PDB file of all heavy atoms in Angstrom:
ATOM      1  N   LEU A  17     116.833-154.962  14.233  1.00 98.00           N
ATOM      2  CA  LEU A  17     116.028-153.737  14.166  1.00 98.00           C
ATOM      3  C   LEU A  17     115.521-153.430  15.536  1.00 98.00           C
ATOM      4  O   LEU A  17     114.961-154.223  16.274  1.00 98.00           O
ATOM      5  CB  LEU A  17     114.758-154.016  13.312  1.00 98.00           C
ATOM      6  CG  LEU A  17     113.684-152.882  13.188  1.00 98.00           C
ATOM      7  CD1 LEU A  17     114.306-151.662  12.610  1.00 98.00           C
ATOM      8  CD2 LEU A  17     112.460-153.376  12.412  1.00 98.00           C
ATOM      9  N   ILE A  46     123.017-152.954  13.208  1.00 98.00           N
ATOM     10  CA  ILE A  46     121.925-152.606  14.061  1.00 98.00           C
ATOM     11  C   ILE A  46     121.291-151.304  13.466  1.00 98.00           C
ATOM     12  O   ILE A  46     121.954-150.311  13.300  1.00 98.00           O
ATOM     13  CB  ILE A  46     122.447-152.268  15.552  1.00 98.00           C
ATOM     14  CG1 ILE A  46     123.067-153.570  16.125  1.00 98.00           C
ATOM     15  CG2 ILE A  46     121.345-151.749  16.374  1.00 98.00           C
ATOM     16  CD1 ILE A  46     123.695-153.366  17.516  1.00 98.00           C
ATOM     17  N   LEU A  73     104.568-144.386  16.086  1.00 94.00           N
ATOM     18  CA  LEU A  73     104.156-145.759  15.742  1.00 94.00           C
ATOM     19  C   LEU A  73     103.598-145.791  14.285  1.00 94.00           C
ATOM     20  O   LEU A  73     102.405-146.195  14.150  1.00 94.00           O
ATOM     21  CB  LEU A  73     103.312-146.380  16.732  1.00 94.00           C
ATOM     22  CG  LEU A  73     103.888-146.472  18.181  1.00 94.00           C
ATOM     23  CD1 LEU A  73     102.949-147.046  19.153  1.00 94.00           C
ATOM     24  CD2 LEU A  73     105.080-147.442  18.049  1.00 94.00           C
ATOM     25  N   HIS A  75     104.398-146.824  10.050  1.00 94.00           N
ATOM     26  CA  HIS A  75     104.983-147.992   9.289  1.00 94.00           C
ATOM     27  C   HIS A  75     106.475-147.939   9.361  1.00 94.00           C
ATOM     28  O   HIS A  75     107.112-146.888   9.276  1.00 94.00           O
ATOM     29  CB  HIS A  75     104.552-147.958   7.796  1.00 94.00           C
ATOM     30  CG  HIS A  75     105.250-148.876   6.961  1.00 94.00           C
ATOM     31  ND1 HIS A  75     104.985-150.289   6.999  1.00 94.00           N
ATOM     32  CD2 HIS A  75     106.316-148.730   5.996  1.00 94.00           C
ATOM     33  CE1 HIS A  75     105.800-150.866   6.092  1.00 94.00           C
ATOM     34  NE2 HIS A  75     106.600-149.921   5.526  1.00 94.00           N
ATOM     35  N   HIS A  88     110.423-149.514  22.665  1.00 97.00           N
ATOM     36  CA  HIS A  88     109.433-148.434  22.615  1.00 97.00           C
ATOM     37  C   HIS A  88     108.402-148.439  23.682  1.00 97.00           C
ATOM     38  O   HIS A  88     108.096-147.511  24.301  1.00 97.00           O
ATOM     39  CB  HIS A  88     108.777-148.440  21.227  1.00 97.00           C
ATOM     40  CG  HIS A  88     107.956-147.235  20.944  1.00 97.00           C
ATOM     41  ND1 HIS A  88     108.363-146.119  20.162  1.00 97.00           N
ATOM     42  CD2 HIS A  88     106.639-146.936  21.291  1.00 97.00           C
ATOM     43  CE1 HIS A  88     107.387-145.246  20.141  1.00 97.00           C
ATOM     44  NE2 HIS A  88     106.305-145.708  20.781  1.00 97.00           N
ATOM     45  N   ARG A  97     103.657-153.154  15.003  1.00 97.00           N
ATOM     46  CA  ARG A  97     104.547-152.530  14.065  1.00 97.00           C
ATOM     47  C   ARG A  97     105.801-153.343  13.765  1.00 97.00           C
ATOM     48  O   ARG A  97     106.236-153.500  12.631  1.00 97.00           O
ATOM     49  CB  ARG A  97     104.966-151.097  14.491  1.00 97.00           C
ATOM     50  CG  ARG A  97     103.843-150.139  14.508  1.00 97.00           C
ATOM     51  CD  ARG A  97     103.157-149.947  13.193  1.00 97.00           C
ATOM     52  NE  ARG A  97     102.143-148.927  13.181  1.00 97.00           N
ATOM     53  CZ  ARG A  97     101.152-148.806  12.330  1.00 97.00           C
ATOM     54  NH1 ARG A  97     101.051-149.664  11.317  1.00 97.00           N
ATOM     55  NH2 ARG A  97     100.222-147.809  12.400  1.00 97.00           N
ATOM     56  N   ALA A 135     123.869-150.680  33.199  1.00 98.00           N
ATOM     57  CA  ALA A 135     122.946-149.576  33.316  1.00 98.00           C
ATOM     58  C   ALA A 135     123.676-148.227  33.466  1.00 98.00           C
ATOM     59  O   ALA A 135     123.108-147.244  33.227  1.00 98.00           O
ATOM     60  CB  ALA A 135     122.035-149.776  34.419  1.00 98.00           C
ATOM     61  N   PRO A 143     132.668-133.028  23.273  1.00 95.00           N
ATOM     62  CA  PRO A 143     133.447-132.530  22.116  1.00 95.00           C
ATOM     63  C   PRO A 143     134.579-131.630  22.527  1.00 95.00           C
ATOM     64  O   PRO A 143     135.422-131.255  21.644  1.00 95.00           O
ATOM     65  CB  PRO A 143     132.417-131.842  21.280  1.00 95.00           C
ATOM     66  CG  PRO A 143     131.457-131.301  22.267  1.00 95.00           C
ATOM     67  CD  PRO A 143     131.368-132.360  23.349  1.00 95.00           C
ATOM     68  N   GLU A 166     108.513-116.860  33.632  1.00 97.00           N
ATOM     69  CA  GLU A 166     108.803-115.712  34.510  1.00 97.00           C
ATOM     70  C   GLU A 166     109.820-116.105  35.617  1.00 97.00           C
ATOM     71  O   GLU A 166     110.655-115.283  36.013  1.00 97.00           O
ATOM     72  CB  GLU A 166     107.572-115.158  35.093  1.00 97.00           C
ATOM     73  CG  GLU A 166     106.555-114.567  34.067  1.00 97.00           C
ATOM     74  CD  GLU A 166     105.713-115.613  33.383  1.00 97.00           C
ATOM     75  OE1 GLU A 166     105.730-116.839  33.820  1.00 97.00           O
ATOM     76  OE2 GLU A 166     105.002-115.332  32.453  1.00 97.00           O
ATOM     77  N   PHE A 168     111.985-118.642  35.379  1.00 98.00           N
ATOM     78  CA  PHE A 168     113.360-118.784  34.700  1.00 98.00           C
ATOM     79  C   PHE A 168     114.015-117.513  34.513  1.00 98.00           C
ATOM     80  O   PHE A 168     115.225-117.300  34.633  1.00 98.00           O
ATOM     81  CB  PHE A 168     113.119-119.491  33.380  1.00 98.00           C
ATOM     82  CG  PHE A 168     113.088-121.028  33.489  1.00 98.00           C
ATOM     83  CD1 PHE A 168     112.014-121.723  33.242  1.00 98.00           C
ATOM     84  CD2 PHE A 168     114.306-121.722  33.738  1.00 98.00           C
ATOM     85  CE1 PHE A 168     111.908-123.105  33.290  1.00 98.00           C
ATOM     86  CE2 PHE A 168     114.225-123.157  33.816  1.00 98.00           C
ATOM     87  CZ  PHE A 168     113.097-123.798  33.651  1.00 98.00           C
ATOM     88  N   GLY A 220     114.005-128.307  33.232  1.00 97.00           N
ATOM     89  CA  GLY A 220     112.943-129.100  33.801  1.00 97.00           C
ATOM     90  C   GLY A 220     113.186-130.564  33.350  1.00 97.00           C
ATOM     91  O   GLY A 220     114.256-130.944  32.956  1.00 97.00           O
ATOM     92  N   SER A 235     123.888-130.375  36.965  1.00 97.00           N
ATOM     93  CA  SER A 235     122.609-129.794  36.585  1.00 97.00           C
ATOM     94  C   SER A 235     121.699-129.582  37.817  1.00 97.00           C
ATOM     95  O   SER A 235     121.876-130.277  38.852  1.00 97.00           O
ATOM     96  CB  SER A 235     121.919-130.730  35.609  1.00 97.00           C
ATOM     97  OG  SER A 235     121.636-131.982  36.193  1.00 97.00           O
ATOM     98  N   VAL A 292     131.554-122.540  39.642  1.00 56.00           N
ATOM     99  CA  VAL A 292     130.768-121.993  38.456  1.00 56.00           C
ATOM    100  C   VAL A 292     129.935-120.796  38.851  1.00 56.00           C
ATOM    101  O   VAL A 292     129.912-119.769  38.093  1.00 56.00           O
ATOM    102  CB  VAL A 292     129.844-123.087  37.864  1.00 56.00           C
ATOM    103  CG1 VAL A 292     128.920-122.533  36.794  1.00 56.00           C
ATOM    104  CG2 VAL A 292     130.649-124.236  37.314  1.00 56.00           C
TER     105      VAL A 292
END
Side-chain angles (χ1 to χ4, degrees):
L17 173 65
I46 299 179
L73 293 176
H75 171 73
H88 188 97
R97 293 303 183 197
E166 295 81 7
F168 275 110
S235 64
V292 172

